[in-house]
Amino acid sequence: MTKRLDTGKEWFNKVYGEGKADGLVEMQAGLAQDLARYGIEFNFGDIYSRPGLTLAQRELLSLASLVTIGGLEPQLQGHTRGAINAGCSPTEILETVIHTGFPQALNAIRVVTDALIAYGQEIPPALGPDED
Amino acid sequence: MTKRLDTGKEWFNKVYGEGKADGLVEMQAGLAQDLARYGIEFNFGDIYSRPGLTLAQRELLSLASLVTIGGLEPQLQGHTRGAINAGCSPTEILETVIHTGFPQALNAIRVVTDALIAYGQEIPPALGPDED
Amino acid sequence: MTKRLDTGKEWFNKVYGEGKADGLVEMQAGLAQDLARYGIEFNFGDIYSRPGLTLAQRELLSLASLVTIGGLEPQLQGHTRGAINAGCSPTEILETVIHTGFPQALNAIRVVTDALIAYGQEIPPALGPDED
Amino acid sequence: MTKRLDTGKEWFNKVYGEGKADGLVEMQAGLAQDLARYGIEFNFGDIYSRPGLTLAQRELLSLASLVTIGGLEPQLQGHTRGAINAGCSPTEILETVIHTGFPQALNAIRVVTDALIAYGQEIPPALGPDED
Amino acid sequence: MTKRLDTGKEWFNKVYGEGKADGLVEMQAGLAQDLARYGIEFNFGDIYSRPGLTLAQRELLSLASLVTIGGLEPQLQGHTRGAINAGCSPTEILETVIHTGFPQALNAIRVVTDALIAYGQEIPPALGPDED
Amino acid sequence: MTKRLDTGKEWFNKVYGEGKADGLVEMQAGLAQDLARYGIEFNFGDIYSRPGLTLAQRELLSLASLVTIGGLEPQLQGHTRGAINAGCSPTEILETVIHTGFPQALNAIRVVTDALIAYGQEIPPALGPDED
């Protein structure tokens, strides 16, 4: 096993939970396992392991990028859990989705809220409108 | 309640049907309700309420933008109903999808056709190819 | 010349001005002329010539789709002129951009406003914020 | 029937299998059949029938474009089958998805692998990491 | 002036520098000023002013979203400056672009690096490859 | 220097010309050089070097993906040259752009045609419309 794959699995598992990197590769059949491995080696072994941003910062950036692209619900659920594992609060996670904007955000926030509830998090109350 | 939220609910309900604005907010949990409220205040209270375009024009523009983005099926269904409520004909709605183009249009037109049928609309016949 | 190309040139020229369809093809070199011709045959000969929507409606839909995609400034300028030629008011054109949303709209509205000024149109005043 | 529709059906059926072009049109209701017909006339009658690229090359390009757009799973499944019908190997098809990149590729490769298995193809083994 | 516009200008100016909110509106002609105003009222008066994320966090999220969309160079330059004004380090800003990924990132990082240099920032050295 | 970087430079230079990989890194300042290096290591060292597709196939796929994304003119010019260097004919390159579709294709085909002319290629003539 290469050092990058090793480092990548370590960071992937910090985000998704113990043993999940091996699970991602095994979920794919044959040649497609190479793509899963690249995701671990490059996105996690090369990028997530860099200094300069905390893991919590990286998880919020990944959520912002996923909301902007739209769709990609499995990744959105995974990184919601990853953000919790990295120490982000539910408020930070939901504010990240609100910050990133329409119209993708309204679909994304349902996925993220459901994922937070599934991970046993309490959903912070709405701020409601300012009186003006 | 702010004047913008009030105006937004009025326009939202003109599009989606009586009581739907409150339903949108209640469908979300906690903090996510703020995002639903912004959708109503900004998209409907600020934008839909502007003069210069009719509600029917705005609904066709929203459909064109949704088809272009792709995905976003719940919004596509909602604005199909909204376009009917705003007085657009099934022909105008389907022609808007045809106008907006490939490859998203071919997936979108199924969603829109199914939504029109669900709302009790008769689907206009195909024009068929020109003889040439 | 095929009937579709003939019909397409007629509708293209209604949008962009007399003689512009031939100009579009001549602007391209060699094989790329086929792509320009397809644009005329398909987008204008097949789609724009359909009944069910007016030319003015189609121009606003094209603008909404272009703002949503982002970039594509030459097409945005062309369809701003096309919308004027189809009888849309500057207010309808600018409201279409405002309706279609952030962040692309803020870049697009500069292109559209500049194009309107270049075509000798007077820019309608801002509505300004509601007092509340 | 026009010559373009005739040519389009011939190429569409080479890609998707005998009789599928008529099936695509019949799957749509009323006016939406025109959009399906345009897909056959333009994409297959005009574009796929052009010389200069083999059908196998065109299928890989369509897959690359679909992976880049993201979503569009029905088209991704259809063109996976089309690529097999055009003589592409499972390796070429899966490498096309791997080549086209993250983050859409990881979702796309599941759809493509499942489609290959459904079409009775053997999935080539992963290359695995280089020892370094 | 509404309270939201007032709050929006305050936050906009924290990001872009004193007096810039009024400048954004004045840069637009007539009706387009309303769109600039909405950008200030909604994005800054409603969203940026929310608790739950620091201004520095919000600036990195805006950069991640802009890199993901691609193009939008004026906004990318503006939020690079905004991130500096919010107290982000050049390393955090550049790592945000690197985190957000290919192929848009390679174009974006030139815009961001040039903007950092223009704002008098020292560019941190590359980490270089791991020895392995 | 790592083996992946070494392999990546070799493939990058096969595409863009001798010495260009080092040039790409040197064009960037400081930290941004890491992103350029990742592009070489991952896109070329990991992906382009894989068996299963020829370099000529990979260049056409890269062009299809770039046309689909839109914008990204520097990459479009670079891969036009790369496709020529990999042995693709001008016809294959231009047909790839035509295959990939509207409205991005019409902007892209100008960039690609200009790049082909700049690289001393003769532009094949248009096929013109079928008589029907």
Side-chain angles (χ1 to χ4, degrees):
Chain A
M1 191 161 74
T2 66
K3 178 161 165 267
R4 289 171 68 240
L5 182 52
D6 217 28
T7 308
K9 284 185 177 181
E10 185 190 323
W11 282 89
F12 190 95
N13 290 346
K14 273 189 215 177
V15 170
Y16 291 109
E18 208 44 52
K20 297 288 169 144
D22 290 328
L24 180 77
V25 174
E26 283 155 22
M27 248 170 58
Q28 303 289 343
L31 199 58
Q33 295 186 332
D34 285 345
L35 186 64
R37 179 173 52 81
Y38 288 139
I40 295 166
E41 284 181 342
F42 179 60
N43 292 333
F44 291 86
D46 287 347
I47 304 294
Y48 266 80
S49 70
R50 289 176 64 88
L53 292 171
T54 64
L55 184 56
Q57 282 179 308
R58 291 187 182 278
E59 283 304 281
L60 297 185
L61 295 173
S62 293
L63 285 170
S65 184
L66 290 168
V67 172
T68 302
I69 297 172
L72 299 176
E73 297 202 358
Q75 283 82 357
L76 204 53
Q77 290 167 332
H79 282 286
T80 299
R81 174 155 226 167
I84 290 290
N85 291 348
C88 301
S89 69
T91 295
E92 285 176 314
I93 292 167
L94 290 164
E95 287 292 334
T96 293
V97 180
I98 289 174
H99 184 89
T100 309
F102 289 98
Q104 284 87 343
L106 205 58
N107 289 350
I109 210 158
R110 285 184 208 163
V111 177
V112 170
T113 302
D114 290 350
L116 285 171
I117 291 168
Y119 305 145
Q121 304 296 318
E122 198 169 331
I123 305 303
L127 300 181
D130 279 348
E131 299 305 313
D132 61 1
Chain B
M1 191 162 74
T2 67
K3 177 160 165 266
R4 292 171 67 239
L5 182 53
D6 217 28
T7 307
K9 283 185 178 181
E10 184 189 326
W11 282 89
F12 191 95
N13 290 346
K14 274 190 213 177
V15 170
Y16 291 109
E18 208 43 52
K20 296 289 170 144
D22 290 327
L24 181 76
V25 174
E26 283 155 22
M27 246 170 61
Q28 303 288 344
L31 200 58
Q33 294 186 332
D34 285 346
L35 186 64
R37 179 172 53 82
Y38 288 140
I40 295 167
E41 284 180 342
F42 180 60
N43 291 335
F44 290 86
D46 286 346
I47 304 294
Y48 266 79
S49 69
R50 288 176 65 87
L53 292 170
T54 65
L55 184 56
Q57 283 179 310
R58 290 188 184 278
E59 282 305 281
L60 298 184
L61 294 173
S62 293
L63 285 170
S65 184
L66 290 168
V67 173
T68 303
I69 297 172
L72 299 177
E73 298 201 358
Q75 282 81 357
L76 205 50
Q77 290 167 332
H79 283 285
T80 299
R81 173 153 227 169
I84 290 291
N85 291 348
C88 301
S89 69
T91 296
E92 285 176 313
I93 293 167
L94 290 163
E95 286 293 335
T96 293
V97 180
I98 290 174
H99 184 89
T100 309
F102 289 99
Q104 284 86 343
L106 204 58
N107 289 349
I109 210 158
R110 284 184 208 163
V111 177
V112 170
T113 302
D114 289 350
L116 285 171
I117 291 168
Y119 307 143
Q121 303 295 320
E122 199 169 331
I123 304 304
L127 300 180
D130 280 347
E131 299 305 313
D132 62 2
Chain C
M1 191 163 73
T2 66
K3 178 160 165 269
R4 290 171 68 240
L5 183 52
D6 218 27
T7 307
K9 284 185 177 181
E10 185 189 324
W11 282 90
F12 190 95
N13 291 346
K14 273 190 215 178
V15 170
Y16 291 108
E18 208 43 52
K20 296 288 170 145
D22 289 329
L24 181 76
V25 173
E26 282 155 24
M27 246 169 60
Q28 303 288 345
L31 199 58
Q33 293 185 333
D34 285 347
L35 186 65
R37 178 172 53 81
Y38 288 140
I40 296 166
E41 285 181 341
F42 180 60
N43 292 334
F44 291 86
D46 286 347
I47 304 292
Y48 267 79
S49 70
R50 288 176 65 88
L53 292 171
T54 65
L55 184 55
Q57 284 180 308
R58 290 187 183 279
E59 283 304 279
L60 297 185
L61 294 174
S62 293
L63 285 170
S65 184
L66 290 168
V67 172
T68 303
I69 297 172
L72 300 176
E73 297 202 358
Q75 282 82 358
L76 205 52
Q77 289 166 333
H79 282 286
T80 299
R81 174 155 226 167
I84 289 291
N85 291 350
C88 301
S89 68
T91 295
E92 285 176 315
I93 293 166
L94 290 163
E95 287 291 336
T96 293
V97 180
I98 289 174
H99 184 89
T100 309
F102 288 99
Q104 283 87 342
L106 203 59
N107 289 349
I109 209 158
R110 284 184 209 164
V111 177
V112 170
T113 302
D114 290 350
L116 285 171
I117 291 168
Y119 306 145
Q121 303 297 318
E122 197 169 333
I123 304 304
L127 300 180
D130 280 345
E131 298 305 314
D132 61 1
Chain D
M1 191 161 74
T2 67
K3 179 159 164 268
R4 291 170 68 239
L5 182 54
D6 217 28
T7 308
K9 284 185 177 181
E10 185 190 324
W11 282 89
F12 190 96
N13 290 346
K14 274 190 213 177
V15 170
Y16 290 109
E18 208 45 52
K20 296 288 170 146
D22 290 328
L24 180 76
V25 173
E26 284 155 23
M27 246 171 59
Q28 303 289 345
L31 199 58
Q33 294 187 332
D34 285 346
L35 185 65
R37 179 173 52 81
Y38 288 139
I40 296 166
E41 283 181 342
F42 180 60
N43 292 334
F44 291 86
D46 286 347
I47 304 293
Y48 267 79
S49 70
R50 288 176 65 88
L53 292 170
T54 65
L55 183 56
Q57 283 179 308
R58 289 187 185 279
E59 283 304 280
L60 298 185
L61 294 174
S62 293
L63 285 170
S65 185
L66 290 168
V67 173
T68 303
I69 297 173
L72 299 176
E73 296 201 0
Q75 282 82 356
L76 204 52
Q77 289 167 333
H79 282 286
T80 300
R81 174 155 227 168
I84 290 291
N85 291 348
C88 300
S89 68
T91 296
E92 286 175 313
I93 292 166
L94 291 164
E95 286 292 336
T96 293
V97 180
I98 289 175
H99 184 89
T100 308
F102 290 101
Q104 284 85 344
L106 204 58
N107 289 349
I109 210 158
R110 284 184 209 163
V111 176
V112 170
T113 302
D114 290 350
L116 285 170
I117 291 168
Y119 306 144
Q121 303 296 318
E122 198 170 331
I123 305 304
L127 300 179
D130 279 349
E131 299 303 314
D132 61 1
Chain E
M1 192 162 74
T2 66
K3 179 160 165 266
R4 290 171 67 239
L5 183 52
D6 217 28
T7 308
K9 285 185 177 182
E10 185 189 325
W11 282 89
F12 190 95
N13 290 346
K14 274 190 214 178
V15 170
Y16 291 109
E18 209 43 53
K20 295 289 170 146
D22 290 328
L24 180 76
V25 174
E26 282 155 23
M27 248 171 58
Q28 303 289 345
L31 199 58
Q33 295 186 331
D34 285 346
L35 186 64
R37 180 172 52 83
Y38 288 139
I40 295 166
E41 284 181 340
F42 180 59
N43 292 335
F44 291 86
D46 286 347
I47 304 294
Y48 267 78
S49 69
R50 288 175 65 88
L53 293 170
T54 65
L55 184 56
Q57 282 178 309
R58 291 187 184 278
E59 282 305 281
L60 297 185
L61 294 173
S62 292
L63 285 170
S65 184
L66 290 168
V67 173
T68 302
I69 297 172
L72 299 177
E73 298 202 358
Q75 283 81 357
L76 205 50
Q77 290 167 333
H79 283 286
T80 300
R81 174 155 227 169
I84 290 291
N85 291 348
C88 301
S89 69
T91 296
E92 285 175 313
I93 292 167
L94 290 163
E95 287 292 335
T96 293
V97 180
I98 290 174
H99 184 89
T100 308
F102 289 100
Q104 283 86 344
L106 204 57
N107 289 350
I109 209 157
R110 284 184 208 163
V111 177
V112 170
T113 302
D114 290 350
L116 285 171
I117 291 168
Y119 307 143
Q121 303 296 318
E122 198 169 331
I123 305 303
L127 301 179
D130 281 346
E131 299 303 314
D132 60 3
Chain F
M1 192 162 72
T2 66
K3 179 160 167 267
R4 291 170 68 238
L5 182 53
D6 217 29
T7 308
K9 284 184 177 182
E10 186 188 324
W11 282 89
F12 190 96
N13 290 346
K14 273 190 213 178
V15 170
Y16 291 108
E18 208 44 52
K20 296 288 170 145
D22 290 328
L24 180 76
V25 173
E26 283 156 22
M27 248 170 58
Q28 303 289 344
L31 199 58
Q33 294 187 332
D34 285 345
L35 185 65
R37 179 172 53 80
Y38 288 139
I40 296 167
E41 284 180 342
F42 180 60
N43 292 333
F44 291 85
D46 286 348
I47 304 293
Y48 266 80
S49 70
R50 289 177 65 88
L53 293 170
T54 66
L55 184 56
Q57 283 178 308
R58 290 187 183 279
E59 283 304 280
L60 297 185
L61 295 174
S62 293
L63 285 170
S65 185
L66 289 168
V67 172
T68 303
I69 297 173
L72 298 176
E73 296 201 0
Q75 282 82 357
L76 205 52
Q77 289 167 332
H79 283 285
T80 299
R81 175 155 226 168
I84 290 291
N85 291 348
C88 301
S89 69
T91 295
E92 284 176 314
I93 292 166
L94 290 164
E95 287 292 336
T96 293
V97 180
I98 290 174
H99 184 89
T100 310
F102 289 98
Q104 284 86 342
L106 204 58
N107 288 350
I109 210 158
R110 285 184 208 163
V111 177
V112 169
T113 303
D114 289 350
L116 285 171
I117 291 168
Y119 306 144
Q121 304 296 318
E122 198 169 330
I123 304 303
L127 301 179
D130 279 348
E131 300 305 314
D132 61 0

